[in-house]
Each structure stands twice: as structure tokens, then as C-alpha cells.
Amino acid sequence: MSGTFDVAVVGAGVNGGTTALFLARGGMRVAVVDKGPICREASGVNAGTLTMQMTRVALIPFALEAHAMWASAASWLGHDVGVVVCDGLSLAFTEREAALLTERAGKRREAGAPIEIIDGQHALAIEPGLSDKVLIAGHCRVDGYANAYLTGLAYRRALLEAGVALFENRRVIGVDRDGGAWSLATAAGPIRARRVVLAGGVWLEAMAAWFGVRLPIKTLVNQLSVTERVAPAMRTVIGIASGLLSLKQYPHGTVVIGGGWQGVGDRETGETAIVAESLIGNVRLACHTIPALARSRIARAWAGFEAETADALPAVGALPGVDDVHVIGSVHSGYTSGPYIAKLLAGQLLGEAPRRSLAPFDPARLVTA
Amino acid sequence: MTDILVIGGGPAGMAAAATAARHGAHATLIDEQARPGGQVYRAMPASFAVAGDLGPDHAAGEALRAELAASGARLALGERVWNVRPGFRVDTLARDGPRRYEAPAVIIATGTTERHVPFPGWTMPGVIGLAAATIMLKAQRLLPGRRVVVAGSGPLLAAVAYGIVKSGGDVVAVIDAAKRAEWLRQGPRLLARPDLLMRGSAWMAALRRKGVPWLFGHVVTAARGGSQQVEAVEIAALDREGKPASTRRPLDCDALAIGYGLVPNCDLARLLGAPHAYRAERGGWIAARDDDLRSSLPGLYLAGDGAGISGAVAAEIEGRLAALAALADLGTLSAREAAGLAAPLRTHRRRAARFGSAMAELMAARPALYGAIAAGCTVCRCEDVPRAEIDAAIDAGARDVNQLKAWTRAGMGPCQGKICGEAVASLVAEHVGSRQAAGMFTARPPLRPLPTEALIGTFDYADIPIPKPAPL
Amino acid sequence: MIERIRNADVSTPPAVVIRVDDREIEALPGESLVAALLASGRLVFKHSPRADAARGPFCLMGVCQDCLVELDGMPVLACQEPVRAGMAVRLLAPPR
């Protein structure tokens, strides 16, 4: 494709895809470039949890807005990602977990999340298949989940309908300055744009390095597993106060088990591998929580890369010291909050009056010498 | 303490473990069945007693089992491998819970699965694979039906048809996708094993005497029946391009045994990261190996049909060759000793492989048959995904099988794409130019569905390692 | 009709009784559970998830998953499970 785009977004996940979508609808000529197929990385392989109860306090206002976006995906995305809005429970099985839960749910509630603490009996009433060993639970009526693997198809259709030029399987290997524009180098030729948005997940560090900026990004290798279709065993989206479990059953019957148990992986090669002990520990937690799951079979396990900054808050905004380059990433619970944060960034680039400040996520705080 | 882990107890695995143990290595053979034998030498239940002569295949299997038993190799039977890690670490699920094996050398001998071509009605009860029919006849002592249509391609056609007739059943017809000319073309290679050629000819002659029609260049295009099981099939001749002609003919039956060749099981080797290439004439995706059957990963050896189809006899020889290579690499045998033992095996392997490669060609994938799959026909059995939905995903931009899987759920069910994988890949390949370009479903553990209760065992909540809480 | 092959080449042990969906059937100890179920006339094991189509054993080697049954409440593949006297099996499809 010849010509110079107004914006090139590098990384076709939820962050990059949503930014590109709103930029295109705002009238810009937009390219999205990804080393692989759209939404193949974190955005396509995460557990799909949309919960306030694992969201960082500082991100609660953003998560609430993003949750509303997901719930009304038909209106802005236009295509189905299988969003289900439902009760969410964050469980405490021990006194220590109960104390942790009470403190954290309180802080999240102060930040605007509709979370109340309920006792084990009440939790059982909401979730009849629940273990009877729950002491207390955080209850949020507007948690939910989406179907991560549908994300790619939905965004692809939305982006193409919005007139975005989508370059899949097109790895950017470096950048050059070309007149008043940036030139993204790829094996199949350069892609030129006046401005660049880096939305590369764990690869954001390498991308910032193209511009001579040191932005350390930690790589988490999150493991997930899924059962085959089983009879209805649960109706809420469940977590544990310790944070080590996410659990949900999709309408078609499979149960996805996650929670951040670590596999092994190398972001340079893109390869991941499952750690058996992590799978066993994760599934034990799931069965402790919903005992009926012991009668299921685990059909598949996989791992994906999650990006984390030094202070575990997002990196969103102008890349320090570089003209016309912005970053968006490491959103932590990125799937939950990503669409709204991306929409804000797009608004900023379109010169619109900001609805909410992205200043707390200024990447400058993370840049090292 | 294991030096050499052998995964898969068919002819390659049995020969590998027996050879390794006999030369003084600590060898452990892991197989999911209660008795070794794989598919081709599948044993009957131990509680069945063999009185008569069950033929040369049975004798060959018994001989290998006896050699294995006498060799001193340790047998880990009834265990399902679900994960492997380099170095090597192998996770299995035994009847009583998870087990783990560690060894510096691993020989993968995991054989093949059957290739299937979807057609309307293939998911009906009473429709089984050709390999399934051989299991019924050989290992379960069951007749698949009283009036069976035997269909597909490859050497299993004659074996199944003859097995049914010999056991008192009727074969309505053999529907062979290969044209007569394809068989004749293989003549020179089949002569490398005159004993097998004669046996196959004898089977076909016996079927002819019984009045069983053998229809070359024909395929089953549909299975029909009442609410519960197959009652008839529809067949058609293949045109010059290998596509089913429009004229269809019905055949009454009470069972259909159908399969289109064998596909190497490469998920273990792929999980370890061994590079694979698509070789249609070897059955599909196979890993690179040197002449001594070493993969490109140190300590990993690949033997038997799982590394490229060469037949049961070649598989046994490869098992021995792989063991010799591992023994030499471990220092248990000197390089010279190992080379000396390997030399005659190499010659036998070449001869055996000639016959095997003829069979491999006769049962290679036939892309035209996948092209003919009807839009409403179920392709992914586990998830009920019809061809129309796969086509829609390709139209929407899916360019490799993994993207197609994400967008349709084809391959996401409990069989993990083992049954539908060939069909899905062929449909994608039509649009992206080749099977190589279409790719493979990413290899992920568990390699088979894991019963959750057996995986988790008994545990205390307090034992589950919880890290410090995430930042608030 | 799936039938047992009976001839002098192979002798089988005396049959035992197992329970399948509250009915008793005869089975041979040590044979695979799928063989016993097929020999007893059960061809339909379950129904497919979206089309609700009848399904039964297809590959008999632990690959297709269409012979999944419940044994003592747990999901097992009938083709990988040896028969034991007294076992209690439920098929995922109700008997017709």
C-alpha cells in the first residue's frame, strides 16, 4: 500500500485494535500492523474475565466504563465477542484471605466498584455449586466475561468495515525517519505514517527501543486450561481473594480455569510451555471451589504473555522524547479495561477534549536511563 | 532411574525398548494400553486364551512381546503421556494418578492415527473407522456387522474385508478410492515383500470367490439410516480429477467401516519443538531425522510410522536402529559396536520401506475428496462444525488452521482436532496454496483429555502454593 | 448388528454381569467396556452438542472421544476401560 497513513498502530490486540477503530471513525487514515494474525496473542488467549474484583484500584473508573463498553459491544464494535454480564464472586477460604478480601473490596468499592461483602451462605445461594468452605465473598452484580478467541474475528470485521488497512503476518523490524513521517520497516516493504501508536504487549519494550527509549516491560507467562463441555456447574464468574483463580463456565458448557499460574515462555521466540505443577495447582483450586469440576476432563492447556510495568499500572501516552509516537500497554486486566483506555487515547490523538485524564499512566515515569 | 524412555508400545517401541535393555541400558516403555502391541500388533485382553493359529501378524506381535518381556525393559503400561518437556521430563496419568519420568534420551514411537474424509452421515452410529474395524476383529473378537460396506483407501481395506468374511460376516462391497492403475503402479515396490504381496492377493482372491465386489476408483458419498444407525450407503465413481461423479448408487448395509489411510502422530515431537515439514508421500507432517533416526534435538530419536509411514516391519527395524543410536550417544555402546550392529538393520530397513512406501502412497491424502465435502456436512465431530461455517471463516480471513479453530471452534473439542484435523487443514490449504502453508493445530498439553479427579489427587487447600498478593 | 465372533481359535473367560443404565448386561472380564456395550446392542452413546445427533464409538482407539461414558460418576472412554464384574456404567444418551 503506498502513501502515508495518518497513524500506524503496531499490534493488533484489543488495545491496538480499539485505538485504531476510534481513530478511523474519527476520520484518520489508519494502518494496523501485527507480526502475526490479529488478536493472536494475549487478547485472543486470555481467560476473558471482565471483573472489578481483580482490577487495580486506580483502574476501577476505567474498568467500569470499559465494562459498559463490553456489555454494549454491539453498538461500538458491531460484532459478537460472547459477552455475558453476570454476578461475580471473589472468595475467601481462610481468615487471611478474608482479611485481604475485606480490605481490598473496601478500597475498590470506594473507587466506585459495586462490590459488597457477603457471607458463605449467601454466596452459596448465589452459586449453588459452590464449596461449603467459603468464609466470605466479595459480590459484584456486574462482573462477567467474554470469549477471548472470538475477539480476533470481531475486531477484524470492525476494523475492515471502518476502512482500516490491516497488515497481518507483517513483522515490523525497525523504524526510520522519512521526511515528516515515520517509516516502519518490514520484510515486505515499509509502511509510512505521520504518527505511530505502539500497542505491542510484552513486545512494547523492544518497540520503544526502536526509538531509542528504554521502557522495561516484565513478561508474565499466564497459564490457562479448559474442560470439555460439561453439564451446568456454575453461573457466576469466580475468583479467589489471593488472586490465583479465575473460573467461569461458558454457555456452551466448557469451563475455563485461570488465575495467573505461571508457565514458561520466551517472548523473543514467542514459544510457551506448560508447567505441570502449575496446571495441577490451578485445577486443584478450581475443584476446591466448584467440587463438581472433579468429574470433568481437562481438554486443553495453553499459556499467553501478559505485560507488566514496574509499578503494575498501564503505560499510556506519548513516548518520552519522541515526536508523534504514543504507547498503550500493560494495562493489567487489559482485556477488562483496554477498550476504554484505548478510546481515550484515540480521543487524545484526535485532539478531542479528554473525558478522563491519562496522566497517571504517563510512560515517562517508567523510562529508565 | 531411566536412561532411555520409549514412548509408544507398537512394533517400533517394543523393538526399541527390548534392544536398549538387552544392551544394558535402563529402558522404560510407556504405553496407554494394558498390553503392548500398538495398533498393528494389538493384543487381545489377557483374559482371552489363543488356541488356534491367528495368522502371521498375531505371531509377529507375540514374538515382539516375548522379546520385550525377556529383555529386562521396564514396562509402564496403561499410562497416558500428557506432557513432555525438554531434558527430558514426561508426565503421564496412570490408573492411580499422575506419574513423572525423567531420562536423558527419549525414543518417540507413537505410530499413526487414521485419516478421515467427512461425508453426510459419517457421524452416524454404525459408521466406524477401518482401524476400528481391525481392532474389533483382532482384539475384541467382534463382527462390525452382518452386512458391512468396507471403504476408503490403503492396505487396511483388504485386511478388514477378509477379516470380516473369515469371521462369518458378509462384506457387501469394498469401495476403494484407488483406481486399479494406482495399485498396478506400485507393483515393483510391492514385490520387495513377496510374502505380503501374496497374502494380500490371497485375501482379494478369497473375497472374489465369496462374490464380494471390489470397486476400484469409487467412494462412499453418504451414509443413510433411521434415527439411530446406518442402514445404507451411497457410492459414486471418481472422475478423472478424483472427484465423486454425480451419479450415485445405493447399497444396503448394517455397518460401514471406512478410513482413508494413516497419518503420523507427531504431537509429542512437536510439543518438544522438533521442526516438522509436510510430506504427503510419508503420510503428512513429519520431523526431520538423520540416517540414525536422531531428530534435530539432542537426545530425541524418532522411530516407526509416527515419523513417516514405512510399515510395521520397517517400524520394528527403526526401533532397533533408534535404540542403537541412543546407546551409542549415551556411551553404553561404542560408536563402532553400534555401527556394526546397525549395518544389517539398515539393509533390511531399505527393503521393508520399499513396500511400506508403496502402501503410504496408496493411502496418501486425496485433496479432491475434501473439496467435495457438502456445505451442510459436519466436519468437526466434537463441536458440530459444518463445512459451511469453516468456509465462512476462511472467507472472513482465516489463513491458517489455528485462526480457523479460534473462529469456528473446529478442533477445540476433546479429540483436540485428531479426527477433523486433516479435513480442516485441507479446506484451508485450498485457499492458501498448500498444506505446509495451512499449518498444524498448535501442539499443546494435555495430549489427551485428562480426567480431572485423577490429575488433582487428594490435597489440602493449605498445600496449594499461594504467592504474595498482587499490588492493589 | 455387532456380534461376538465365536470359534475355536480363541477361548474367552466366563461372562460376568455389569450394570449399564440400571440394566444388567453380560460382559467378558478384561475385554474393553466398549466391546461389551456394542455386543449388548448399544450403538448410541451420546448426542452431539449442537445438532443433538446420535453418536457412538467411531475409532475404538481413544482418539474420537465418542465412546465417553460415566463410570462411577466419572467420565471415562469405554474403549480404554477394561470390564470388571459389578461395574456401574451410565451412558450419556438415555436408553431408547
Side-chain angles (χ1 to χ4, degrees):
Chain A
M1 199 163 247
S2 60
T4 302
F5 291 94
D6 295 317
V7 183
V9 178
V10 187
V14 166
N15 283 338
T18 310
T19 306
L21 196 58
F22 285 101
L23 286 174
R25 290 181 185 159
M28 291 208 177
R29 220 177 128 238
V30 181
V32 172
V33 194
D34 198 296
K35 64 177 170 60
I38 186 169
C39 288
R40 176 60 68 85
E41 301 296 338
S43 293
V45 297
N46 70 86
T49 313
L50 304 173
T51 179
M52 298 300 132
Q53 305 205 61
M54 288 309 304
T55 299
R56 309 266 339 252
V57 168
L59 289 172
I60 294 277
F62 300 86
L64 285 166
E65 297 271 5
H67 194 279
M69 282 178 74
W70 281 124
S72 62
S75 70
W76 62 272
L77 185 56
H79 295 280
D80 184 30
V81 290
V83 173
V84 171
V85 175
C86 65
D87 292 280
L89 293 174
S90 180
L91 308 175
F93 289 103
T94 67
E95 293 300 340
R96 190 180 140 269
E97 285 172 0
L100 189 68
L101 174 64
T102 308
E103 190 214 336
R104 293 185 165 216
K107 293 255 164 58
R108 291 185 168 114
R109 188 170 48 240
E110 279 165 34
I115 302 172
E116 48 159 4
I117 299 288
I118 60 177
D119 67 18
Q121 284 302 109
H122 190 174
L124 252 176
I126 294 170
E127 183 63 273
L130 196 60
S131 154
D132 57 8
K133 303 192 179 74
V134 173
L135 296 182
I136 59 169
H139 176 219
C140 179
R141 262 179 246 276
V142 288
D143 273 350
Y145 57 90
N147 204 328
Y149 61 75
L150 292 179
T151 313
L153 183 55
Y155 269 86
R156 192 172 207 280
R157 290 181 158 142
L159 287 170
L160 293 179
E161 283 158 13
V164 170
L166 177 62
F167 299 95
E168 293 172 278
N169 302 303
R170 188 95 174 246
R171 177 185 288 272
V172 176
I173 51 185
V175 300
D176 302 295
R177 200 75 186 139
D178 180 8
W182 290 104
S183 178
L184 305 175
T186 80
I191 295 171
R192 292 208 314 279
R194 264 176 276 285
R195 300 156 95 174
V196 174
V197 174
L198 303 175
V202 294
W203 298 277
L204 194 55
E205 182 170 353
M207 292 181 184
W210 297 332
F211 299 90
V213 176
R214 235 196 122 223
L215 180 52
I217 299 286
K218 184 170 152 196
T219 305
L220 302 173
V221 184
N222 295 338
Q223 269 189 209
L224 289 161
S225 57
V226 65
T227 66
E228 61 186 337
R229 294 169 188 251
V230 293
M234 56 186 296
R235 56 174 292 278
T236 63
V237 61
I238 289 179
I240 291 183
S242 65
L244 265 197
L245 180 70
S246 82
L247 196 58
K248 64 190 69 69
Q249 183 168 23
Y250 283 85
H252 57 253
T254 63
V255 176
V256 171
I257 301 168
W261 289 76
Q262 294 298 291
V264 295
D266 179 352
R267 74 184 184 199
E268 300 305 313
T269 62
E271 280 164 19
T272 62
I274 297 302
V275 171
E277 288 81 359
S278 290
L279 176 65
I280 292 170
N282 202 177
V283 176
R284 280 178 171 168
L285 269 186
C287 293
H288 186 83
T289 304
I290 301 280
L293 290 180
R295 291 197 291 279
S296 68
R297 295 191 306 165
I298 302 296
R300 208 161 64 254
W302 66 96
F305 295 118
E306 182 182 356
E308 193 174 76
T309 61
D311 60 10
L313 283 171
V316 187
L319 191 62
V322 186
D323 286 335
D324 296 320
V325 179
H326 287 70
V327 306
I328 173 170
S330 302
V331 182
H332 193 268
S333 324
Y335 201 82
T336 302
S337 307
Y340 182 65
I341 291 180
K343 187 177 174 188
L344 288 176
L345 179 64
Q348 192 178 309
L349 290 168
L350 287 165
E352 292 168 359
R355 250 161 298 193
R356 195 177 283 278
S357 173
L358 290 168
F361 310 139
D362 187 343
R365 79 192 193 276
L366 300 165
V367 168
T368 62
Chain B
M1 248 294 319
T2 303
D3 303 318
I4 301 176
L5 259 177
V6 180
I7 303 178
M14 286 194 285
T19 304
R22 223 181 23 249
H23 288 285
H26 288 110
T28 301
L29 173 69
I30 306 175
D31 190 85
E32 59 185 8
Q33 301 300 323
R35 305 180 66 200
Q39 301 311 330
V40 65
Y41 296 143
R42 191 154 177 141
M44 268 181 276
S47 52
F48 290 20
V50 176
D53 171 13
L54 291 179
D57 274 354
H58 184 257
E62 289 291 291
L64 269 174
R65 275 187 283 274
E67 183 193 340
L68 182 63
S71 71
R74 188 170 139 226
L75 302 184
L77 299 170
E79 293 192 33
R80 264 165 289 170
V81 173
W82 65 269
N83 191 29
V84 286
R85 297 280 300 130
F88 295 88
R89 196 183 113 168
V90 175
D91 290 296
T92 73
L93 202 55
R95 304 220 123 235
D96 58 2
R99 301 241 181 105
R100 177 187 312 166
Y101 297 86
E102 286 174 357
V106 169
I107 301 176
I108 295 180
T110 45
T112 60
T113 52
E114 194 158 36
R115 177 183 295 108
H116 293 291
V117 178
F119 55 89
W122 75 298
T123 60
M124 275 177 143
V127 178
I128 60 173
L130 276 180
T134 61
I135 290 171
M136 271 199 189
L137 292 164
K138 283 200 289 198
Q140 296 175 347
R141 307 286 295 163
L142 290 179
L143 259 186
R146 275 254 139 241
R147 292 168 298 120
V148 187
V149 170
V150 177
S153 63
L156 282 179
L157 286 173
V160 167
Y162 179 71
I164 290 171
V165 153
K166 184 166 162 250
S167 305
D170 280 322
V171 174
V172 175
V174 177
I175 311 297
D176 186 353
K179 303 193 174 153
R180 213 185 285 265
E182 289 177 58
W183 280 96
L184 292 171
R185 231 189 338 266
Q186 301 299 338
R189 281 199 268 179
L190 296 178
L191 283 168
R193 289 293 306 278
D195 55 326
L196 293 181
L197 183 57
M198 266 181 41
R199 188 177 69 170
S201 307
W203 288 347
M204 288 172 90
L207 291 166
R208 252 192 324 270
R209 275 197 306 276
K210 282 238 155 196
V212 176
W214 189 294
L215 301 176
F216 293 97
H218 278 66
V219 291
V220 168
T221 49
R224 306 210 184 287
S227 59
Q228 304 285 300
Q229 72 157 103
V230 64
E231 290 170 1
V233 302
E234 228 180 50
I235 63 170
L238 293 178
D239 65 20
R240 214 165 284 166
E241 281 139 26
K243 295 206 292 278
S246 49
T247 313
R248 308 287 156 96
R249 185 152 68 92
L251 289 175
D252 283 345
C253 63
D254 65 356
L256 168 62
I258 182 166
Y260 284 90
L262 302 177
V263 179
N265 276 330
C266 57
D267 46 4
L268 255 170
R270 289 197 297 121
L271 197 54
L272 282 167
H276 282 63
Y278 186 78
R279 300 271 304 279
E281 77 285 3
R282 305 299 312 281
W285 290 92
I286 58 173
R289 293 185 293 180
D290 69 10
D291 288 334
D292 295 316
L293 308 185
R294 292 182 188 87
S295 77
S296 53
L297 304 178
L300 184 66
Y301 310 82
L302 308 166
D305 280 356
I309 293 177
S310 313
V313 175
E316 180 186 326
I317 299 167
E318 287 190 4
R320 301 188 195 286
L321 284 169
L324 290 172
L327 290 163
D329 292 343
L330 287 169
T332 316
L333 281 177
S334 74
R336 215 183 39 147
E337 245 189 303
L341 291 164
L345 290 170
R346 285 190 214 290
T347 317
H348 292 149
R349 179 190 177 204
R350 268 195 296 277
R351 200 162 60 95
R354 226 173 287 142
F355 186 91
S357 66
M359 287 300 145
E361 277 193 22
L362 284 164
M363 57 177 175
R366 294 168 186 265
L369 294 183
Y370 290 106
I373 298 172
C377 176
T378 301
V379 173
C380 168
R381 295 168 67 105
C382 292
E383 295 293 317
D384 266 340
V385 182
R387 172 165 185 177
E389 288 178 13
I390 292 173
D391 286 344
I394 293 172
D395 288 342
R399 287 290 169 271
D400 69 86
V401 296
N402 291 298
Q403 202 166 20
L404 190 113
K405 174 169 140 184
W407 293 1
T408 63
R409 283 194 65 84
M412 277 199 196
C415 99
Q416 302 168 330
K418 295 190 181 75
I419 299 284
C420 69
E422 283 286 295
V424 168
S426 291
L427 292 172
V428 173
E430 265 304 300
H431 290 263
V432 300
S434 69
R435 286 292 304 263
Q436 185 84 30
M440 303 173 269
F441 288 139
T442 309
R444 299 209 182 288
L447 294 166
R448 295 283 163 90
L450 287 174
T452 302
E453 190 192 53
L455 178 68
I456 63 178
T458 42
F459 61 95
D460 278 324
Y461 187 69
D463 294 336
I464 300 174
I466 311 283
K468 63 178 176 40
L472 181 59
Chain C
M1 272 304 306
I2 294 188
E3 296 173 12
R4 293 189 184 278
I5 298 168
R6 296 181 205 282
N7 57 36
D9 287 341
V10 176
S11 67
T12 54
V16 296
V17 167
I18 67 173
R19 293 192 71 77
V20 180
D21 284 336
D22 301 324
R23 290 202 318 242
E24 292 190 337
I25 67 164
E26 288 203 332
L28 302 178
E31 72 173 345
S32 74
L33 178 58
V34 77
L37 292 168
L38 289 169
S40 78
R42 286 302 294 266
L43 273 188
V44 178
F45 278 45
K46 60 181 166 73
H47 292 85
S48 67
R50 293 167 75 200
D52 200 32
R55 291 288 173 82
F58 178 68
C59 80
L60 298 185
M61 57 171 83
V63 176
C64 73
Q65 312 293 311
D66 274 342
C67 71
L68 190 71
V69 298
E70 250 182 45
L71 177 60
D72 302 326
M74 291 296 164
V76 300
L77 293 179
C79 70
Q80 305 294 306
E81 194 69 31
V83 161
R84 284 179 334 266
M87 65 196 313
V89 179
R90 295 209 82 81
L91 266 60
L92 303 180
R96 281 172 215 218

